[in-house]
Amino acid sequence: MAIDRIPVRGMTCEHCVRRVRTSVEAVEGVSSASVSIGEVEVELEGTEGARERVLQAIRDSGYEPA
């Protein structure tokens, strides 16, 4: 497993945090996620493409990985 920290632009409140957390936790290959304003920290299993799926989940939530 690997831990990845991803800065995220556009998150300004707890609503943003919940929205991103819900999306990221649903991604295949994410074993845990910690989300705060401006950052996502995920623990990824060895599944191929997990990081890209996390980045897409952040974008789909309306925010931009930095």
Side-chain angles (χ1 to χ4, degrees):
M1 285 192 225
I3 295 177
D4 196 1
R5 286 193 170 142
I6 304 167
V8 180
R9 290 189 291 255
M11 294 172 56
T12 59
C13 66
E14 287 304 312
H15 172 75
C16 301
V17 169
R18 282 191 303 274
R19 185 173 180 173
V20 171
R21 182 185 312 116
T22 299
S23 294
V24 169
E25 287 177 341
V27 172
E28 179 186 348
V30 172
S31 58
S32 70
S34 174
V35 182
S36 59
I37 294 174
E39 183 178 78
V40 172
E41 181 177 303
V42 290
E43 188 171 335
L44 300 172
E45 297 174 0
T47 58
E48 187 175 327
R51 187 174 197 281
E52 282 304 314
R53 289 191 299 273
V54 168
L55 295 175
Q56 189 59 51
I58 294 169
R59 287 185 199 101
D60 291 347
S61 297
Y63 305 94
E64 189 61 35

